[in-house]
Amino acid sequence: SSGINAEYGESGKLTSSAEPFEVLPGFNLECYPNRDSTIYKEAYGIESAHTVLRGTLRYRGYSSAMDSLLKLGLFSSKKRDLSGYTWNTLTKELLGNANLSDGEARSKLSTLFKGDRYKVSTIIKLGLMESSPLPASVDNAMDALVEKLASTLMMPEGESDVIIMNHSVGVRLPSGKCETHRSNLVVYGEEQGWSAMAKTVGLPVGIAAEMIMNGEIKERGLVLPFAKEIYEPMLKKLAMEGIEERREVESEEYDY
């Protein structure tokens, strides 16, 4: 939200709104809006903030790849009989003619993506032009795509994942000076151990359970971790497990 609420209701608008994210050196990232950001102004007590954006970070090119799948029609959940289909057949049918030659299909993809070679290569590299059969259990394009990506993009043995989180807060001090306060969290998975996703999801839950058992959290029911007596000891315990943010402050030469 920046003065006026920005909405992305039209199909494809969200994936095309991704912007390069260059706060963290060494990472080739992009960021796109993630649902309604305005609700966090009240939750975090920052109602006076002029701009609030909650976004998702991905490697550069992710949004373009997702846009190619969207434009081809693979996000459709409309039920249909896909028995006997191969990926080659489905892709060509989505292009308008299941009897296209492979060369004609590639030409159609190029036209659909307005000559964007990266988007065409996305379809090919993901195996969506292969003659492999669709899973017998699926009855729509989206479910078939989910199963295809789950197998094609499975993390190979010996590879590790990474979790990245950034908070950037621009403030104007009473003196008139402007600063940007940043908090960066980067957690790597272990090649022969826990993934970064497992650690950043499982450890906070385990620590919270331990704190309840030890009487450090006395509230019951659905408790949000906004109170200092909850998040401060939790952050200290996470730091002992190697999950710790790095903070920096940058002075700005302009006003917000």
Side-chain angles (χ1 to χ4, degrees):
S1 170
S2 181
I4 301 175
N5 291 350
E7 297 185 2
Y8 298 88
E10 186 179 337
S11 179
K13 286 291 185 181
L14 188 60
T15 52
S16 62
S17 66
E19 297 286 344
F21 185 83
E22 299 175 346
V23 172
L24 293 167
F27 290 100
N28 190 20
L29 304 174
E30 63 183 26
C31 179
Y32 61 88
N34 187 346
R35 301 190 180 183
D36 183 7
S37 300
T38 59
I39 60 174
Y40 294 96
K41 296 177 73 172
E42 182 178 354
Y44 295 144
I46 53 172
E47 290 85 350
S48 62
H50 294 289
T51 301
V52 178
L53 171 65
R54 179 177 186 259
T56 295
L57 296 177
R58 291 288 184 265
Y59 285 119
R60 193 82 62 89
Y62 173 88
S63 295
S64 181
M66 289 299 103
D67 192 57
S68 67
L69 301 175
L70 174 67
K71 282 185 168 57
L72 184 56
L74 288 168
F75 286 174
S76 172
S77 58
K78 182 179 179 180
K79 292 186 180 298
R80 51 183 299 192
D81 183 9
L82 294 174
S83 56
Y85 272 68
T86 66
W87 273 107
N88 189 285
T89 305
L90 177 61
T91 296
K92 290 176 179 178
E93 188 174 283
L94 291 172
L95 288 170
N97 185 351
N99 295 316
L100 292 170
S101 68
D102 287 353
E104 290 170 332
R106 286 185 174 86
S107 178
K108 287 267 189 182
L109 286 171
S110 182
T111 301
L112 177 65
F113 302 142
K114 298 179 180 179
D116 191 322
R117 293 184 178 180
Y118 178 80
K119 291 184 176 181
V120 175
S121 69
T122 294
I123 301 301
I124 296 171
K125 288 181 179 179
L126 288 176
L128 306 184
M129 290 288 293
E130 296 175 355
S131 57
S132 54
L134 269 61
S137 59
V138 301
D139 60 2
N140 64 80
M142 179 177 283
D143 285 352
L145 177 64
V146 168
E147 293 207 24
K148 180 66 171 176
L149 296 183
S151 60
T152 303
L153 302 181
M154 183 180 296
M155 192 164 62
E157 187 176 350
E159 187 172 317
S160 59
D161 64 336
V162 60
I163 295 292
I164 301 173
M165 183 167 63
N166 165 270
H167 291 91
S168 295
V169 182
V171 298
R172 182 164 57 193
L173 304 176
S175 64
K177 179 183 178 182
C178 293
E179 295 179 341
T180 298
H181 292 243
R182 292 194 179 93
S183 168
N184 297 316
L185 176 70
V186 180
V187 180
Y188 291 96
E190 305 161 10
E191 289 188 10
Q192 302 299 327
W194 297 110
S195 67
M197 180 67 75
K199 290 192 290 186
T200 53
V201 173
L203 284 172
V205 174
I207 290 171
E210 183 180 62
M211 291 173 67
I212 292 173
M213 292 174 61
N214 293 339
E216 297 174 73
I217 298 178
K218 302 186 183 302
E219 293 183 68
R220 295 295 181 264
L222 182 60
V223 181
L224 297 176
F226 293 160
K228 284 188 176 181
E229 57 268 24
I230 295 178
Y231 68 73
E232 283 189 342
M234 183 175 288
L235 288 174
K236 289 179 181 178
K237 293 179 181 182
L238 283 171
M240 294 173 64
E241 300 289 345
I243 299 177
E244 185 175 17
E245 63 182 352
R246 291 188 178 183
R247 297 184 181 184
E248 60 183 25
V249 179
E250 179 182 336
S251 296
E252 304 289 348
E253 299 296 330
Y254 55 87
D255 290 339
Y256 288 90

